[in-house]
Amino acid sequence: MMQLRYTSAPSRGAKISSAMLRHLGKPVLTVLRWQLAATAALALAAALVAGRHGAASALAGGFVSITAGLAAALVASIGNAKSAGGIVLSALRAEVVKLGLAVLLLWIVLVNYAEAVVGVFVGAFLVTMLIFAMAFFVRDY
């Protein structure tokens, strides 16, 4: 009988550092750069169309997605899976973290930023989330 055990990152003393980011691997770091570039481009376009609140909304949407994706990648890299089932559970745990954190951050921004341009905010979030999904296609060498 297989026993499932959950170990949280804080209990193991994990801290975000440049060493952890390097540990994530080329696909995640490449996609992170793409997300940052897309967020900057969307913020610039939104600034031209909707002004400073549009630019701030695009930045917020991009950073919500980047933060959620980075948290999911860190959770996935912390996993110590030694079987196919363990790998699936680790991936599911990472997706739950990404989804939960994204929803929480979206809510926090929308509640606290009254001048948010919602279309730009959600659009930047969706574009950068789709870019994160492209990590699957980035080669690791």
Side-chain angles (χ1 to χ4, degrees):
M1 182 171 176
M2 182 173 70
Q3 292 184 358
L4 300 177
R5 190 182 85 202
Y6 175 74
T7 56
S8 66
S11 67
R12 296 192 328 193
K15 294 180 182 171
I16 296 177
S17 66
S18 61
M20 278 190 108
L21 290 177
R22 282 192 301 273
H23 177 68
L24 292 178
K26 183 181 178 189
V28 173
L29 293 178
T30 299
V31 170
L32 183 61
R33 284 187 208 102
W34 293 349
Q35 285 181 307
L36 289 170
T39 299
L42 290 168
L44 182 61
L48 296 173
V49 173
R52 66 185 173 119
H53 291 296
S57 297
L59 285 172
F63 285 129
V64 164
S65 174
I66 290 168
T67 303
L70 189 57
L74 289 172
V75 167
S77 72
I78 290 171
N80 194 11
K82 296 192 183 343
S83 67
I87 292 170
V88 170
L89 286 175
S90 180
L92 286 174
R93 186 179 317 127
E95 286 300 314
V96 167
V97 166
K98 181 172 75 171
L99 181 62
L101 188 58
V103 168
L104 177 68
L105 292 174
L106 287 168
W107 177 76
I108 287 172
V109 170
L110 289 173
V111 166
N112 291 306
Y113 185 30
E115 293 85 16
V117 181
V118 177
V120 172
F121 174 64
V122 172
F125 169 74
L126 291 175
V127 167
T128 52
M129 270 301 213
L130 289 174
I131 290 172
F132 185 79
M134 302 310 281
F136 179 76
F137 299 105
V138 177
R139 297 197 179 221
D140 206 10
Y141 56 87

